[in-house]
């Protein structure tokens, strides 16, 4: 009898106060802030969009009494358009939100506008003096306990295979797919598919990174990450990897130049991208522009190239040049942009990532794929957070179609991808290309600053090639492996390398 009474009381906790907040959502890229006062003694907070709000393309976030200042906020979590209501209490929260105490003071609801052109948001906030009953799975996902991120897994040098763009149940769009996985489940699936590491990159949240040591299978590395998501359609998503358990990267950075530049509309919590990237570099955190030229409607392209045209510090460490399906993510346009940056003597790496949300075998575009499609293969001194991230930032990696895909490596003497050959302007630089585990008939291509300098058709599954390029052009030399020519199919690559950089003694 008493147990029933307690259950009923907790299932319907005492409601202390309800407020309805409203404000104009503005235009895509803006964030509406709705302040409210939280009194003493509140144990549970709920917020939801109510009738009159736009139906789609609005997020719902929460800041505590510490404020909402860029990169210094009391951030409690955010969800995409897939969820219309959230809750936070001491021992549990909506996935992606931080459970914990609810101190009194001025809190703020954040309503980021992902792709709405006007309208008013109405948000109902309910405050309770007791916790509510929560599903045990949600409690386990969101309990506030935190442990250090994994560090050393295998202390020996070698090639390690990974996927740098993986979503879990903590991304609201992945959760809504019905086939998203927890960090542990994603790691187990990746290991079974032949990978050595993955980065967990949920949209604008990092709760998924709180207990990665417990979630890591033996001999496998889980990297704490985030897909920092500005808004759909632009100006870009920034994937980061190598965070600590409590790190969070703010999504409210903005371009200062180009078609997405709206500096007159910036609020006090908006920021240019350079200070954020400089902080990431100081902390040795890997950053990459996700799907920078993705087809319209399939995601956000990268809107900061005009900023980096004027200041190279606005470039991240890398471009995610191969996202899930190469053609749909406009990989060749990304290659063109990358070659342009190399020709300008800029050190810019590339990587791939599956961008997997649900594990039902298809991506949002309907193309069959699995975790590790494509795979980024990294040369590192060990399978550890520090070694993998440092190698990614140093361009010591190639991309292959899946964990069993071809190996494609370029060298110059004792130097490898990511290294810089310093030569006289009159010298020729020798580049050695090594192909393994390919297929006869595949096409090997070598480019210098985007210009083809070598092409051949493989006569077997392995081949070594030597190419000489003039040092006077400087820039970078890279290789591609394309499948056997088939007129009816688009030539999605089999593998791509990072470059060997060339610089002049005379500079």
């Amino acid at each position: 009898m008493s147990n029933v009474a307690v259950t009923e009381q907790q299932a319907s906790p005492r409601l202390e106060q309800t407020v309805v907040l409203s404000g104009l959502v503005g235009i895509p890229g803006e964030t509406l802030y709705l302040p409210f006062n939280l009194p003493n003694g509140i144990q549970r907070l709920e917020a939801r969009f109510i009738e009159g709000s736009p139906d789609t393309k609005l997020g719902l976030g929460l800041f505590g009494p510490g404020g909402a200042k860029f990169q210094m906020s009391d951030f409690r979590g955010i969800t995409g358009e897939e969820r219309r209501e959230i809750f936070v209490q001491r021992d549990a929260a909506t996935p992606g939100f931080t459970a914990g105490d609810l101190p009194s003071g001025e809190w703020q609801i954040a309503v980021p506008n992902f792709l709405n052109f006007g309208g008013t948001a109405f948000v109902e906030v309910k405050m309770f003096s007791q916790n509510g009953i929560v599903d045990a799975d949600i409690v386990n996902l969101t309990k506030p306990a935190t442990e250090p991120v994994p560090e050393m897994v295998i202390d020996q040098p070698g090639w390690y295979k990974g996927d740098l763009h993986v979503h879990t149940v903590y991304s609201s769009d992945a959760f809504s797919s019905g086939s998203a996985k927890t960090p542990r489940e994603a790691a187990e699936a990746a290991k079974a598919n032949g990978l050595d590491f993955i980065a967990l990159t949920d949209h604008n949240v990092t709760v998924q990174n709180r207990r990665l040591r417990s979630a890591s299978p033996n001999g496998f590395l889980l990297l704490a990450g985030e897909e920092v998501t500005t808004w759909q359609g632009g100006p870009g998503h920034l994937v980061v990897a190598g965070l600590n358990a409590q790190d969070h990267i703010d999504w409210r950075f903005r371009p200062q130049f180009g078609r997405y530049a709206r500096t007159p509309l910036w609020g006090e919590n908006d920021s240019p991208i350079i200070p954020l990237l400089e902080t990431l570099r100081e902390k040795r955190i890997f950053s990459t522009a996700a799907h920078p030229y993705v087809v319209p409607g399939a995601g956000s392209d990268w809107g900061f190239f005009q900023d980096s045209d004027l200041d190279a510090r606005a470039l991240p460490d890398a471009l995610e040049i191969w996202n899930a399906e190469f053609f749909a993510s406009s990989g060749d346009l990304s290659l063109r942009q990358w070659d342009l940056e190399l020709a300008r003597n800029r050190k810019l790496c590339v990587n791939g990532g599956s961008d997997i949300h649900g594990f039902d075998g298809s991506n949002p575009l309907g193309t069959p794929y699995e975790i590790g499609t494509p795979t980024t293969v990294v040369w590192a001194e060990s399978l550890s957070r520090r070694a993998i991230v440092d190698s990614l930032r140093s361009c010591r990696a190639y991309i292959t179609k899946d964990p069993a895909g071809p190996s494609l490596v370029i060298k110059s003497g004792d130097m490898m991808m990511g290294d810089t050959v310093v030569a006289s302007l009159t010298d020729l630089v020798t580049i050695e290309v090594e192909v393994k585990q390919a297929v006869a008939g595949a096409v090997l291509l070598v480019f210098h600053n985007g210009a083809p300098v070598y092409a051949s058709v493989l006569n077997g599954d392995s081949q070594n090639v030597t190419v000489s390029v003039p040092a006077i052009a400087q820039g970078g030399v890279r290789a591609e492996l394309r499948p056997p020519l088939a007129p009816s199919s688009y030539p999605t690559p089999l593998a791509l390398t990072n470059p060997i950089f060339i610089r002049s003694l005379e500079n």
Side-chain angles (χ1 to χ4, degrees):
M1 190 76 166
S2 61
N3 288 338
V4 173
V6 170
T7 300
E8 290 175 349
Q9 183 183 41
Q10 289 182 326
S12 302
R14 180 178 176 181
L15 177 62
E16 295 292 337
Q17 186 175 343
T18 300
V19 296
V20 175
L21 313 171
S22 64
L24 298 175
V25 301
I27 60 176
E30 292 191 77
T31 298
L32 169 67
Y33 298 92
L34 301 172
F36 65 96
N37 185 64
L38 193 75
N40 285 319
I42 297 302
Q43 300 296 311
R44 179 182 171 94
L45 184 153
E46 298 176 0
R48 67 184 183 99
F49 288 114
I50 59 175
E51 186 176 354
S53 301
D55 291 334
T56 61
K57 306 303 182 186
L58 291 180
L60 188 60
L62 183 66
F63 291 93
K69 188 175 181 181
F70 183 82
Q71 276 299 115
M72 299 175 64
S73 66
D74 188 1
F75 177 69
R76 295 302 181 97
I78 194 166
T79 183
E81 64 170 315
E82 297 79 16
R83 284 198 176 96
R84 304 286 288 176
E85 58 185 62
I86 60 98
F87 81 93
V88 174
Q89 62 185 41
R90 187 174 185 277
D91 62 342
T94 298
F97 287 73
T98 299
D101 293 333
L102 303 177
S104 62
E106 184 179 86
W107 289 59
Q108 297 182 68
I109 295 291
V111 182
N113 183 348
F114 295 126
L115 202 62
N116 265 286
F117 294 88
T120 300
F122 296 90
V123 180
E124 180 185 72
V125 179
K126 291 185 175 182
M127 305 165 225
F128 301 85
S129 58
Q130 294 167 304
N131 288 339
I133 289 269
V134 179
D135 183 273
D137 289 339
I138 299 297
V139 172
N140 186 54
L141 284 173
T142 61
K143 59 186 179 184
T146 300
E147 60 192 30
V149 295
E151 296 289 354
M152 180 65 68
V153 176
I154 299 175
D155 190 9
Q156 63 182 44
W159 291 102
Y160 294 104
K161 300 176 180 180
D163 190 335
L164 292 163
H165 197 157
V166 175
H167 292 272
T168 74
V169 293
Y170 294 97
S171 287
S172 59
D173 54 352
F175 186 87
S176 68
S177 74
S179 61
K181 292 187 180 295
T182 66
R184 176 77 188 193
E185 293 167 342
E188 289 172 341
K191 185 176 182 180
N193 207 31
L195 297 179
D196 302 299
F197 70 91
I198 58 174
L200 302 183
T201 55
D202 288 304
H203 292 291
N204 288 342
V205 299
T206 53
V207 181
Q208 72 278 5
N209 301 326
R210 299 285 174 84
R211 296 186 299 280
L212 296 189
R213 288 197 177 187
S214 300
S216 300
N218 289 336
F220 191 88
L221 176 65
L222 274 173
L223 289 173
E226 180 184 350
E227 183 173 11
V228 192
T229 306
T230 51
W231 73 77
Q232 186 171 339
H237 295 187
L238 184 73
V239 167
V240 298
L243 302 174
N244 282 304
Q246 296 282 20
D247 288 341
H248 175 259
I249 308 303
D250 204 309
W251 78 91
R252 296 170 295 174
F253 54 89
R254 299 283 179 262
Q256 295 177 283
F257 306 97
R259 67 187 184 281
Y260 296 123
R262 296 164 184 163
T263 49
L265 300 177
W266 284 17
E268 62 180 354
N269 300 317
D270 295 320
S271 170
I273 193 172
I274 288 177
L276 175 64
L277 292 177
E278 292 286 84
T279 297
L280 295 177
R281 284 188 273 265
E282 289 171 7
K283 293 184 175 182
R284 294 164 66 187
I285 294 168
F286 176 68
S287 64
T288 181
H291 37 69
Y293 282 95
V294 69
V295 292
S300 294
D301 60 0
W302 186 248
F304 295 86
F305 285 125
Q306 288 84 356
D307 289 50
S308 58
D309 283 343
L310 297 172
D311 191 331
R313 294 179 301 162
L315 281 174
D317 295 322
L319 303 181
E320 186 192 62
I321 213 157
W322 190 343
N323 173 282
E325 210 289 317
F326 185 83
F327 175 66
S329 61
S330 301
D332 278 315
L333 291 178
S334 299
L335 282 174
R336 187 183 305 170
Q337 180 69 42
W338 183 38
D339 285 328
L340 173 64
E341 303 294 349
L342 296 180
R344 299 169 77 177
N345 282 341
R346 291 178 166 183
K347 185 167 185 176
L348 181 64
C349 310
V350 294
N351 69 281
S354 70
D355 201 358
I356 193 167
H357 284 64
F359 284 70
D360 60 355
S362 66
N363 67 18
L365 299 170
T367 308
Y369 79 137
E370 294 181 330
I371 195 167
T373 311
T375 294
T376 302
V377 187
V378 182
W379 174 262
E381 291 301 315
S382 62
L383 181 59
S384 65
R385 178 176 74 110
R386 188 72 281 139
I388 292 293
V389 171
D390 285 350
S391 288
L392 287 167
R393 298 184 65 238
S394 300
C395 309
R396 294 187 180 275
Y398 66 88
I399 313 166
T400 190
K401 66 184 186 68
D402 56 45
S407 166
L408 183 61
V409 175
I410 59 173
K411 298 179 180 179
S412 182
D414 294 333
M415 298 188 177
M416 66 175 300
M417 295 172 293
D419 288 334
T420 300
V421 175
V422 180
S424 173
L425 291 175
T426 58
D427 287 346
L428 291 176
V429 177
T430 299
I431 303 293
E432 300 106 33
V433 185
E434 300 176 359
V435 184
K436 297 178 181 178
Q437 298 171 243
V439 292
V443 180
L444 175 63
L445 302 164
V446 179
F447 295 88
H448 188 188
N449 297 339
V453 296
Y454 178 87
S456 69
V457 177
L458 300 189
N459 54 21
D461 60 3
S462 299
Q463 192 163 320
N464 291 348
V465 170
T466 299
V467 180
S468 295
V469 298
I472 192 171
Q474 301 187 78
V477 181
R478 62 177 184 84
E480 294 181 23
L481 191 65
R482 299 271 177 162
L485 297 177
S488 62
S489 65
Y490 184 84
T492 293
L494 297 173
L496 298 163
T497 73
N498 266 286
I500 287 177
F501 300 97
I502 300 174
R503 299 293 183 263
S504 168
L505 278 170
E506 286 79 2
N507 287 349

